[in-house]
Amino acid sequence: MSHGFYIALSYGISALIVALLIAWVWWDGRARRRELAELEGSGIRRRSTATPKDNAA
Amino acid sequence: MRLKAEGLAARRGEDLLFSDISFDLGGGDALILTGHNGSGKSTLLRVVAGLLPAEAGRVTWSGPGESSRASEACHYLGHRNAMKPEMTVSENLSFWKTFLGDTARGRGVSIAEATELVGLGGIAHLPFGYLSAGQQRRMAFAKLLVAYRPVWILDEPMAALDARAEETFTDLIQRHLQAGGLLLAATHQPLGLDNAQELRMKGFSAFPQDALQ
Amino acid sequence: MTESLAITRFSDLANPTRFLSLAGRIIPWLAGLTLCLFAIGLYLSFTTEGDYQQGETVRIMYVHVPAAWLSMMCYTVMALSAIGTLVWRHPLADVSHKAAAPLGAAFTLIALATGSLWGKPMWGTWWVWDARLTSVFVLFLMYLGLIALNRAMDDPSKAARLSAVLILVGFVNIPIIKFSVEWWNTLHQPASVVRLDGPTIDPEFLIPLLVMAVAFTFLFFTLHLMAMRNEIWRRRVGAQRRMAARMAGRGT
Amino acid sequence: MMTLLVRDLKLSVRAGGGALIGVLFFMTVVAVIPFGVGPDLNLLSRIGPAIVWIGALLSALLGLDRLFQTEREDGSLDLILMQEHPLVLTVLVKCLAHWIANCLPLVIASPLLGLFMNMSEVAIGAVALTLLVGSPALTFIGAVGAAVAVALPRGGLLVSILVLPLAIPVLIFGVSASYAAVEDPAPFMPPFLILSAITLFFAVLGPLGAALALRNGGD
C-alpha cells in the first residue's frame, strides 16, 4: 500500500510554494535596494542619513 | 489650418448657457475665454473638443491632410489631469504619447525633454500620486508636449500654479503659437499673451452674444 | 543617551536603522541553520519506516503538521505585533505584522494542500468540512483578506493600525469559529489527524516531525526578518520619493 | 491599443487594484455555502457547479463599476473619447484587460473550489471550461452597465442590478453545460456551443452599447 504519487505531489507542492515565497522575498529585497540606490544616486538622502552602518545593511 | 465655429449653442441641463457663438482661428491665433463662474466657458471648450453635443451650430477643422473631426486635432486639458496616481510620471506620459500618437510625425518631444520643459526634469520616475497639486498640473501640461496636436484647449491651465510655473506655461504657450499652433483657453488670470483675442462670456443669455472683435 | 539602560535598549530596537543592521547580521546565520535543519529533517523523513496503518502517507505528515503549526504560530506573531501597533505604536510592529501576512498565507496554503493530498488516499476525498479543516481554511481567507487590506491603502501607518484591529478581532474569532464548527459538524470521527500529545505517536515518527517543525519555524523567522527588512526599505523608498518630489519644487 | 491593455493590466495589479479582491470574494462566497447548507458531501457535490458559477458571476460583477469610473474621475475618459481610434475598439480592449485581470483568476481558482465542493474531476473540468468560455460574456455585458452608470455616484450597486438580469442566459447555459458533462443523458456540446455563441454575440454588442453610452453620457 504505497502512495508514492500523493507523497511526491505533496512534497513537490510544498517545495514549490516555499520556493516561490523565498523567490518573492528575495526579489522584493533586491528591487527595494535597487530603488534606494537609484534615489541615492540621484542625490536624495534621508534626513537622518548619518551612520555608515545604514549603508552596509 | 483653420478652426472654425459657427453659431454654437449649448445647454447645461435644461438651461441654455450660450448661443450663437462663432469664431475663426488660424495658425498662431489664440482665443481667451473670460467671464464669471458658470458663464459657460468650460462648456464651450468641451463642445469644441467634441465632448459635449452642441445644441446648434458646428465646429469644423481644416488642416493639412487631416480628417475634418476637430476633436482629433485638439489637446484637451481639463480640470482633471488625466494621469494615474499609481503609475510613475514617465509611465503615464509614455502611455499618452503612444495612445494619442503624433499626428504630425515626430513633432512631439521625448518624455525627458517634456518634463525638463515644464521645469520638473529628473523626477519622472516617481509615481504621479507623490507629486504636489502644482507639480501634477505641470506634468499634465507635459502631456501636451509629448504628443503633438495643433490645437490646445486649456481649461483653467493656471490653477494651482505658482508664479514661476505660470511663467513657464506662458513661455510654452508662446512657443506653441509661434510654431503655428492654435490656442483656446478659459482663464481668470491674464495669460500674458500680447496677440490674443478675447471672448467675454456673459452667461445665461437668451440673446445672441457678441462674438469676436 | 541619558536614559536608563532599559530605555536605551528599547529605543535602539525601535530604531529601524538599528534593526536593519541587526537583521543583516542575523539573516545569513538563520538561513544557514534553516538549510541544515531541512537537510536533516528531509533525510530523516525519507528514511523512517512507514506506519502500519497509514502506510507511506505518513511522510506527508512531516510537511503537513509543521506547516499547520506555523500557520497558527504566524497568526500569533501577527496578533502580538498588532498589540504592539495599537498599544505602543511601535513602527517595527507595523512592519512585522504586515510582513508576516503573506508568509502565513503561504504556510496555510501548504497545510491545506498537503492535508488534501493526504486525505484523498486515506479518506477517499480531497476535502471534508470538518472542524479543523474548515477553521484552517477560514484562517487562510483571513490572511488573504489582510493582504488585500494592506494593499488597498496608501498610508502605511493607517493601514497598519486598521489591519491590527482586524487581526485582533480575528484572533478572538478563531476559537469561536473552531468551536462553532465543531458543534455544527458532529459527523466527523475525532482524531483522524495525527496528534502530537499522548502516546499515540511513535518516537520513530516524532523525531523527524520535530526536526521538520523546528526547520519550518526557522524558515519562517528567516523569511519574516527578510520581509520586514524589505518593508522598511519599501517605506524608505516611499519617504525619499516624496522628498524628491518636494525638492524638485523648491530647487532648480 | 496594446499600450492601453498593458496600462490597464499594470493598474489592476498595482496597489489598490481589484484583481486580488475579486478572487478573494469568490472564494469567500463559495466557502460560506457549506455553512449554510450543511457539510453533506453528496448534497455539495450535486449543487457544486451551480454554486461555483453563481460565485463567479457575483465576483465578476464586483469590480465592473470601476471599469470606466476611474477613467472618468481623473479625466482620462475625455482624452480617450477624443481619439481617432474607434471607441468600440477601445472599449473592447478595456474589457479584455478587465477580463484578464479579474475573471481569469476566477477561472483559475474555480478548480480549487470545486475540490471543496467535493465535485468529481469531470465536473471540475467542465465548470472551469464553461467559466473560461462564459465569463467574457459577463464582462462585455457588464461594460454596458458600467458605461451607463459611469457618472452616477453610487454606480456600483446600480451596475449589479442592471447587469444581473442580462447575465441570466450566461448562467443558465454555463450551469447546464457543466451538469451535462456529469449526468449521462444530457449532451454537453449543445449548451456549451450556445454559451460560446452568447459570448461572441456580446463581444460585439457589449462594446457597441458601451461606446454609445459613453458618447451620450458626457458631461
Side-chain angles (χ1 to χ4, degrees):
Chain A
M1 179 168 162
S2 162
H3 298 283
F5 168 70
Y6 293 104
I7 297 169
L9 199 60
S10 60
Y11 274 83
I13 286 180
S14 309
L16 182 72
I17 294 172
V18 169
L20 282 179
L21 194 63
I22 293 173
W24 170 71
V25 170
W26 186 265
W27 175 86
D28 196 33
R30 285 280 300 278
R32 296 294 87 76
R33 251 180 297 185
R34 205 175 46 237
E35 281 172 354
L36 272 179
E38 267 172 26
L39 285 165
E40 202 82 26
S42 61
I44 297 127
R45 316 208 98 243
R46 288 193 318 123
R47 275 154 294 176
S48 59
T49 28
T51 59
K53 259 182 221 150
D54 184 17
N55 300 334
Chain B
M1 288 191 289
R2 291 215 88 74
L3 182 68
K4 214 181 278 187
E6 294 161 80
L8 283 182
R11 295 177 177 281
R12 193 84 185 156
E14 295 294 305
D15 306 316
L16 200 62
L17 267 186
F18 54 80
S19 61
D20 201 20
I21 287 189
S22 307
F23 55 81
D24 184 357
L25 298 174
D29 286 351
L31 176 63
I32 309 297
L33 307 183
T34 55
H36 58 82
N37 291 338
S39 58
K41 299 190 295 289
S42 297
T43 308
L44 176 57
L45 291 183
R46 290 181 72 84
V47 169
V48 175
L51 292 167
L52 280 180
E55 187 72 15
R58 64 203 188 103
V59 181
T60 49
W61 164 253
S62 52
E66 304 290 342
S67 73
S68 63
R69 266 190 62 202
S71 64
E72 283 162 23
C74 297
H75 257 308
Y76 174 75
L77 179 63
H79 293 137
R80 290 166 295 199
N81 292 325
M83 306 276 265
K84 297 284 174 195
E86 299 94 341
M87 299 203 300
T88 66
V89 174
S90 54
E91 276 174 325
N92 268 304
L93 288 178
S94 73
F95 164 70
W96 283 121
K97 188 176 170 69
T98 327
F99 186 79
L100 298 175
D102 283 347
T103 38
R105 295 284 154 214
R107 287 187 68 181
V109 301
S110 76
I111 289 158
E113 226 173 309
T115 54
E116 207 64 61
L117 282 172
V118 294
L120 289 176
I123 59 167
H125 62 286
L126 296 181
F128 186 69
Y130 280 25
L131 306 186
S132 71
Q135 290 172 333
Q136 291 190 339
R137 197 68 183 155
R138 281 151 82 173
M139 286 305 186
F141 204 89
K143 199 172 62 215
L144 307 189
L145 304 172
V146 293
Y148 179 77
R149 288 285 189 280
V151 184
W152 285 3
I153 298 180
L154 312 177
D155 198 352
E156 298 290 352
M158 302 302 189
L161 291 180
D162 55 21
R164 203 176 58 239
E166 275 180 26
E167 225 168 87
T168 319
F169 271 32
T170 311
D171 278 355
L172 289 170
I173 290 170
Q174 292 279 23
R175 276 175 57 170
H176 175 66
L177 292 176
Q178 274 154 23
L182 281 69
L183 173 76
L184 200 59
T187 180
H188 288 298
Q189 296 109 312
L191 283 176
L193 302 171
D194 25 322
N195 53 348
Q197 299 160 311
E198 190 177 325
L199 175 58
R200 181 164 289 282
M201 308 275 295
K202 298 201 184 80
F204 292 115
S205 56
F207 50 88
Q209 257 174 336
D210 258 302
L212 277 179
Q213 280 111 24
Chain C
M1 294 300 147
T2 51
E3 296 95 338
S4 71
L5 188 68
I7 293 175
T8 321
R9 279 264 173 80
F10 186 74
S11 61
D12 269 1
L13 255 180
N15 181 357
T17 307
R18 179 83 184 188
F19 173 82
L20 280 182
S21 70
L22 200 68
R25 258 178 288 151
I26 292 178
I27 285 171
W29 290 99
L30 265 183
L33 198 59
T34 310
L35 218 59
C36 293
L37 281 168
F38 263 110
I40 300 169
L42 285 173
Y43 172 75
L44 281 177
S45 55
F46 277 108
T47 48
T48 48
E49 297 277 312
D51 184 58
Y52 73 97
Q53 221 179 4
Q54 298 182 353
E56 297 289 312
T57 51
V58 75
R59 302 201 196 290
I60 294 179
M61 284 298 130
Y62 301 143
V63 183
H64 173 72
V65 174
W69 139 250
L70 264 187
S71 71
M72 280 176 273
M73 193 197 74
C74 179
Y75 202 87
T76 315
V77 168
M78 283 168 68
L80 291 176
S81 311
I83 294 174
T85 296
L86 289 179
V87 178
W88 294 293
R89 303 195 171 263
H90 200 301
L92 276 179
D94 301 1
V95 173
S96 164
H97 64 73
K98 188 178 174 192
L103 305 180
F107 285 116
T108 315
L109 186 62
I110 293 178
L112 285 173
T114 52
S116 208
L117 282 165
W118 183 83
K120 184 64 180 172
M122 301 310 288
W123 292 340
T125 173
W126 294 104
W127 183 260
V128 286
W129 290 92
D130 98 294
R132 171 159 287 178
L133 275 67
T134 306
S135 46
V136 171
F137 182 59
V138 171
L139 184 66
F140 181 59
L141 288 180
M142 284 176 52
Y143 277 127
L144 292 186
L146 283 168
I147 295 172
L149 179 67
N150 268 324
R151 282 173 52 88
M153 271 182 291
D154 286 335
D155 179 3
S157 67
K158 197 172 87 181
R161 282 199 298 279
L162 292 179
S163 52
V165 172
L166 195 63
I167 290 167
L168 289 180
V169 171
F171 196 63
V172 177
N173 201 28
I174 282 197
I176 301 178
I177 291 171
K178 182 134 172 55
F179 289 122
S180 63
V181 170
E182 247 159 42
W183 283 104
W184 168 69
N185 176 11
T186 49
L187 298 167
H188 184 252
Q189 72 277 20
S192 276
V193 184
V194 177
R195 284 142 71 116
L196 269 174
D197 54 10
T200 51
I201 185 159
D202 205 278
E204 169 141 27
F205 308 122
L206 189 61
I207 292 166
L209 195 59
L210 279 181
V211 175
M212 285 297 271
V214 175
F216 265 93
T217 312
F218 271 93
L219 176 66
F220 168 76
F221 280 117
T222 313
L223 289 176
H224 190 213
L225 274 183
M226 286 172 75
M228 279 174 77
R229 197 166 59 155
N230 292 348
E231 183 59 28
I232 292 173
W233 281 334
R234 194 194 320 283
R235 288 185 185 188
R236 288 206 172 159
V237 168
Q240 295 193 5
R241 279 183 171 168
R242 275 190 293 278
M243 216 164 74
R246 276 202 303 276
M247 269 165 49
R250 241 180 288 126
T252 57
Chain D
M1 280 297 127
M2 272 312 286
T3 47
L4 183 65
L5 187 73
V6 171
R7 180 189 79 144
D8 276 17
L9 288 179
K10 255 187 202 166
L11 283 174
S12 67
V13 296
R14 291 273 161 95
L20 176 67
I21 293 175
V23 189
L24 207 49
F25 182 76
F26 182 39
M27 290 175 74
T28 316
V29 165
V30 175
V32 297
I33 298 293
F35 295 101
V37 300
D40 179 356
L41 288 181
N42 291 327
L43 177 65
L44 283 179
S45 73
R46 209 165 60 244
I47 61 173
I51 299 294
V52 173
W53 249 96
I54 290 174
L57 174 63
L58 292 179
S59 21
L61 290 181
L62 199 63
L64 262 177
D65 58 311
R66 305 299 290 162
L67 185 59
F68 300 115
Q69 221 167 36
T70 47
E71 303 283 349
R72 180 182 169 274
E73 276 164 11
D74 64 13
S76 305
L77 189 62
D78 292 339
L79 270 62
I80 289 172
L81 286 175
M82 282 169 63
Q83 285 328 294
E84 67 244 64
H85 308 293
L87 186 58
V88 180
L89 197 61
T90 310
V91 173
L92 185 71
V93 169
K94 278 194 76 66
C95 287
L96 220 56
H98 185 268
W99 182 77
I100 294 173
N102 294 37
C103 291
L104 201 55
L106 301 182
V107 177
I108 294 166
S110 65
L112 197 70
L113 293 167
L115 288 182
F116 286 139
M117 287 288 145
N118 195 41
M119 281 151 60
S120 68
E121 280 78 359
V122 180
I124 289 171
V127 168
L129 190 63
T130 50
L131 271 180
L132 182 69
V133 172
S135 56
L138 300 178
T139 308
F140 293 130
I141 299 171
V144 183
V148 168
V150 67
L152 302 178
R154 288 180 62 81
L157 288 171
L158 193 62
V159 171
S160 304
I161 296 168
L162 293 176
V163 168
L164 268 177
L166 298 173
I168 288 174
V170 184
L171 186 65
I172 290 175
F173 289 105
V175 172
S176 62
S178 313
Y179 276 121
V182 204
E183 286 157 16
D184 267 336
F188 172 70
M189 279 322 265
F192 183 72
L193 288 179
I194 293 176
L195 186 67
S196 320
I198 290 176
T199 297
L200 291 177
F201 176 67
F202 278 115
V204 178
L205 192 66
L208 269 176
L212 201 64
L214 286 176
R215 282 240 182 275
N216 287 295
D219 53 349

